Amino acid sequence: MVEGIGTAGVVGGGIGGLAAAIALRAAGWDVTVYERAPQFTEVGAGITLAANALHALDLLGVGAAVRAGTLEDRRGYARNQRGRILVDARISDFTGGLVALHRADLIAILAEAVPADSVRTGTRVVGVHADGRIETDGDTEQYDLVVGADGINSVVRGHLWPDSGPVHRTGIAAWRWVLDMPAPDPVGVILGRHGEAGVVPIAGDRTYVFTAGRPGITDLDYFTDYPDPLPKLIAATDRSTVVTDELLEIDVPRHLWKGRAVLIGDAAHAMRPTLGRAPAWPWRMR
């Protein structure tokens, strides 16, 4: 389908949608990105990129800008809820390096690589057809390829894969936020009996913090008895800046293409973050 020059409509202006638009344009496609929000934003906090993601961004031509967020080498740990060190490692142990930055910064880098005249912000897609038609509130356009990159509640999946099943609630609550302060030691993850947390240094001398608890844990204060520095970081946090949501999943359709349409990202395979591909890391167990 992607041989030669054609027209492509990308539904969704998140990380996956913008990356797809950049790749398609580089291959000679005439691309239009549909984004419902009036401007590119990313709901979320931090994101950590390992070698596989960085290689993909290099191929898109934005790797150098993203690598400005490469973390300085320092020790990091996996600890249990009592503070016992389970894994002792350094950032340099990650094969190919490690970059951590705010999701909004990654979105900005990707958006900069897509010409403004290729983007329709503030545009709501209301219908998608397997023959390549995209309907919005204002008109209908025909494309050779439609890319559904519009997230877990995908309009594209809902129209073309109506039998793929509903979004599944896991009951797992998650809290994510960024503090405008350098990450204190120790950094890394804390693996508790009923929850987990992480403290990650990110670009700009900021700190990304995340927590998630089993079904039934509904209050961030549950984590205030976790090992330092997590309690201090929670105490220093403006709760209004914390992104609070529930982890969701979908049943992945047997085929991620139908006619001229294809699904990518969360629209295709939304899953728990713990199922993400891990980088090569020579762990030193204790």
Side-chain angles (χ1 to χ4, degrees):
M1 181 181 293
V2 295
E3 294 180 359
I5 298 174
T7 59
V10 178
V11 183
I15 293 172
L18 290 173
I22 295 169
L24 287 167
R25 281 178 45 80
W29 287 72
D30 181 5
V31 180
T32 300
V33 178
Y34 293 85
E35 170 53 40
R36 183 173 56 181
Q39 58 186 3
F40 286 122
T41 59
E42 176 68 22
V43 177
I47 185 170
T48 303
L49 305 171
N52 50 348
L54 293 172
H55 178 62
L57 292 166
D58 285 336
L59 294 177
L60 294 177
V62 298
V66 172
R67 289 175 190 275
T70 299
L71 298 178
E72 294 184 4
D73 195 23
R74 63 189 290 180
R75 297 184 82 167
Y77 306 96
R79 296 176 290 159
N80 67 13
Q81 195 168 337
R82 296 185 299 275
R84 178 190 173 194
I85 296 175
L86 307 174
V87 177
D88 178 355
R90 301 191 67 87
I91 291 173
S92 57
D93 290 333
F94 285 85
T95 302
L98 197 64
V99 171
L101 68 169
H102 199 292
R103 284 177 176 266
D105 295 337
L106 179 55
I107 286 286
I109 291 170
L110 294 170
E112 182 68 22
V114 180
D117 59 4
S118 295
V119 177
R120 297 186 185 181
T121 54
T123 303
R124 188 168 70 99
V125 171
V126 298
V128 180
H129 302 269
D131 63 4
R133 283 177 293 147
I134 294 178
E135 299 178 21
T136 67
D137 285 329
D139 60 11
T140 299
E141 296 285 346
Q142 178 75 49
Y143 294 96
D144 298 312
L145 172 67
V146 173
V147 179
D150 49 342
I152 192 166
N153 295 305
S154 170
V155 172
V156 179
R157 190 180 71 248
H159 277 81
L160 297 182
W161 285 264
D163 299 324
S164 61
V167 173
H168 299 298
R169 300 184 59 180
T170 66
I172 300 172
W175 296 263
R176 297 168 289 152
W177 68 97
V178 172
L179 290 166
D180 290 322
M181 57 179 285
D185 286 322
V187 299
V189 296
I190 304 168
L191 306 174
R193 184 176 181 184
H194 301 303
E196 65 177 276
V199 178
V200 183
I202 65 173
D205 285 330
R206 294 178 291 177
T207 302
Y208 169 42
V209 189
F210 64 86
T211 63
R214 71 173 186 180
I217 297 174
T218 59
D219 194 324
L220 181 58
D221 288 331
Y222 171 83
F223 298 93
T224 55
D225 66 348
Y226 270 45
D228 287 334
L230 187 61
K232 296 177 182 177
L233 294 174
I234 293 175
T237 297
D238 176 356
R239 297 293 180 96
S240 68
T241 67
V242 177
V243 178
T244 305
D245 47 28
E246 180 184 355
L247 301 186
L248 304 173
E249 301 173 313
I250 64 170
D251 294 326
V252 180
R254 182 173 182 180
H255 300 293
L256 296 178
W257 69 92
K258 182 170 291 187
R260 295 179 180 270
V262 63
L263 297 175
I264 65 172
D266 281 350
H269 46 68
M271 64 186 75
R272 305 182 194 196
T274 48
L275 296 177
R277 179 182 173 189
W281 189 12
W283 287 3
R284 294 186 290 275
M285 304 298 291
R286 288 194 172 186

